[in-house]
Amino acid sequence: DAGITQSPRHKVTETGTPVTLRCHQTENHRYMYWYRQDPGHGLRLIHYSYGVKDTDKGEVSDGYSVSRSKTEDFLLTLESATSSQTSVYFCAISQGWPNYGYTFGSGTRLTVV
Amino acid sequence: QQQVKQSPQSLIVQKGGISIINCAYENTAFDYFPWYQQFPGKGPALLIAIRPDVSEKKEGRFTISFNKSAKQFSLHIMDSQPGDSATYFCAASRGNQGGKLIFGQGTELSVKP
């Protein structure tokens, strides 16, 4: 998707290992978000950021941490991956008020074995 | 806690028919209600959005109907086409919460030729 890239696109990892997913934007948007998508649950917010070094928890934040040291990069870390964290992870960006519309990345499919 | 409930989970419509997807929300402080469209292997993309000061918004074949008193909103796709086959998500947010969106569970739409 234009202006936002996620890496890697696919990853298989073992239970108990740490994993970091990267989101990079070129739009200079203030807000960045990490969601996970699972069948029957829609998209659920993990963490979000409203500026450099300013982050907050979403509804499913347990087992995840984030960092934002630059406007353009938002990292999601699974501290010790579990099978329940197998999911598709999406990063999104937003300008905020009054333009709340999100632009989503293409997603990272993570499998924890 | 599911604050946005979406129905149906899946929908099959004949080409040329009308597709209707419904959402209900709980939090009366929500002030932004978008719909997203997602094709397989892609991130969701903003389709159309409405604010609670209007009851209807139309963009091409897509219309949002909003009922503030009932705390419900719906997406109508007129003259549905096979290319509309995708997963649709409704969402809601509050302006003073950084625009973070709460998503419904999603509806998988299939338009038969």
Side-chain angles (χ1 to χ4, degrees):
Chain A
D1 293 276
I4 179 172
T5 55
Q6 290 184 235
S7 59
R9 290 296 312 275
H10 302 272
K11 186 170 181 66
V12 179
T13 192
E14 293 186 350
T15 299
T17 61
V19 177
T20 296
L21 309 182
R22 181 181 184 236
C23 179
H24 179 77
Q25 62 147 329
T26 59
E27 303 296 321
N28 200 35
H29 284 354
R30 176 182 178 187
Y31 296 95
M32 299 185 76
Y33 312 83
W34 277 107
Y35 284 82
R36 60 177 290 174
Q37 183 174 16
D38 305 287
H41 292 277
L43 292 139
R44 292 180 292 174
L45 182 64
I46 305 171
H47 282 280
Y48 66 104
S49 170
Y50 42 96
V52 173
K53 298 190 189 301
D54 288 326
T55 64
D56 206 347
K57 296 179 179 180
E59 63 177 307
V60 290
S61 60
D62 287 348
Y64 302 95
S65 63
V66 290
S67 66
R68 191 172 179 196
S69 59
K70 298 184 291 184
T71 298
E72 56 266 35
D73 290 324
F74 193 32
L75 304 180
L76 176 71
T77 297
L78 288 65
E79 293 139 11
S80 177
T82 68
S83 59
S84 65
Q85 294 175 312
T86 292
S87 185
V88 180
Y89 292 85
F90 285 101
C91 176
I93 59 175
S94 168
Q95 292 177 292
W97 176 263
N99 298 314
Y100 289 146
Y102 283 11
T103 300
F104 279 89
S106 298
T108 295
R109 181 172 294 276
L110 177 69
T111 303
V112 183
V113 298
Chain B
Q1 182 182 2
Q2 185 63 43
Q3 296 187 55
V4 179
K5 295 184 179 180
Q6 184 173 344
S7 63
Q9 269 191 304
S10 62
L11 181 61
I12 300 174
V13 173
Q14 291 296 123
K15 179 182 175 182
I18 302 174
S19 304
I20 301 174
I21 305 170
N22 300 298
C23 283
Y25 63 97
E26 300 169 6
N27 191 338
T28 56
F30 286 148
D31 59 3
Y32 175 70
F33 302 89
W35 285 89
Y36 284 80
Q37 179 188 56
Q38 184 182 31
F39 293 105
K42 303 291 186 182
L46 180 63
L47 190 60
I48 187 173
I50 197 168
R51 296 194 186 274
D53 52 345
V54 297
S55 60
E56 185 175 283
K57 183 174 182 180
K58 183 176 181 179
E59 289 185 2
R61 296 184 294 109
F62 300 91
T63 299
I64 298 179
S65 296
F66 186 80
N67 186 330
K68 190 174 182 178
S69 61
K71 295 188 288 186
Q72 295 176 347
F73 58 111
S74 60
L75 176 69
H76 296 235
I77 306 174
M78 312 300 288
D79 186 27
S80 299
Q81 299 297 312
D84 296 330
S85 297
T87 300
Y88 292 81
F89 293 96
C90 63
S93 71
R94 291 174 58 182
N96 64 355
Q97 289 193 333
K100 57 180 182 179
L101 288 170
I102 307 298
F103 285 86
Q105 299 93 324
T107 296
E108 191 171 345
L109 172 65
S110 178
V111 181
K112 299 299 185 185

